[in-house]
Amino acid sequence: MTSSDHLLDLIQNTPEIDLLLRSSFGFDIHRKHYGEGLRLASGAPMEVIAGESAGGAYFLCTEQNGRRPVVYASSEGEGGLLADDLGEALEIIIGLEWHDCLTFSGSGDVEVMQASTRHLERSRDKYNSDIDDEVAQVAAALSLRIVPVTDLVIRLHAAASKTEADYVVIDEDGQEFGPLFGEHVEPRHGGWR
């Protein structure tokens, strides 16, 4: 059994962790309907493993050097490499407001991503005062590391930067998904508050 299979089994068989991942971190193993017809430009197969409430999906790719990379595809047409394996992807998912970090990345500038993350972390703590406990609970149950946010941003940037050309997502009509990196440096209306 691969580590990805082991992690997915743990999530499936631990209802409280499954619920936390779904409700607090947007990783729902029961939401696999999105992603049908999507493929990688390289021709390598993808296996949908989870979805999220906004319609995006997480995919495992073909094993490379004992690891199965994880690709994310949004419902708005962005997609790319999230991490080199599921354990690393979950560390990013629970430890970082990763999607917004990429959205407000100034087209992939790691310094902009670090600045955005500081704002996003304050918002995350404000809206969920239990988030640190939830991160610790999920990490302990799945034997994940709690990685400093600055390191997670660097890992996320490195993975998303490796999307070309092996991890470009293509839809059923042959249209390429756009990059995970957004061009904005802060929210348009009022900036960071």
Side-chain angles (χ1 to χ4, degrees):
M1 180 181 297
T2 68
S3 63
S4 297
D5 291 336
H6 178 68
L7 284 169
L8 291 170
D9 284 346
L10 277 173
I11 295 166
Q12 179 91 27
N13 295 312
T14 315
E16 62 274 9
I17 299 304
D18 179 15
L19 178 61
L20 276 177
L21 282 169
R22 186 174 349 130
S23 61
S24 293
F25 303 106
F27 186 86
D28 186 349
I29 62 170
H30 307 284
R31 203 181 269 264
K32 297 180 187 178
H33 57 275
Y34 181 71
E36 291 182 24
L38 298 183
R39 64 188 191 282
L40 293 177
S42 67
M46 297 190 306
E47 171 192 353
V48 66
I49 56 168
E52 44 96 10
S53 61
Y58 300 90
F59 300 86
L60 282 177
C61 300
T62 304
E63 187 174 320
Q64 297 177 7
N65 302 321
R67 302 171 83 178
R68 293 188 69 189
V70 175
V71 165
Y72 173 79
S74 79
S75 60
E76 284 117 32
E78 297 95 22
L81 186 64
L82 184 60
D84 289 331
D85 66 29
L86 183 56
E88 288 185 8
L90 287 168
E91 288 172 356
I92 289 170
I93 290 165
I94 68 171
L96 180 66
E97 291 290 325
W98 70 270
H99 195 271
D100 287 338
C101 177
L102 288 169
T103 298
F104 302 109
S105 70
S107 299
D109 183 320
V110 73
E111 290 179 19
V112 171
M113 290 172 70
Q114 294 287 6
S116 295
T117 297
R118 287 190 290 277
H119 296 287
L120 292 164
E121 291 303 298
R122 282 197 300 273
S123 177
R124 182 180 184 177
D125 293 343
K126 178 180 172 183
Y127 291 106
N128 183 353
S129 60
D130 296 328
I131 194 70
D132 291 338
D133 292 336
E134 293 173 352
V135 168
Q137 188 177 351
V138 171
L142 301 180
S143 299
L144 302 173
R145 298 167 293 171
I146 298 177
V147 179
V149 172
T150 54
D151 294 346
L152 290 174
V153 170
I154 291 167
R155 284 176 29 189
L156 178 61
H157 179 269
S161 296
K162 292 191 305 188
T163 294
E164 294 287 338
D166 292 338
Y167 300 104
V168 172
V169 178
I170 296 183
D171 69 16
E172 56 275 351
D173 297 323
Q175 297 296 313
E176 286 189 5
F177 275 44
L180 290 173
F181 292 122
E183 61 187 39
H184 304 292
V185 295
E186 62 182 36
R188 291 183 208 179
H189 303 291
W192 297 112
R193 296 178 191 248

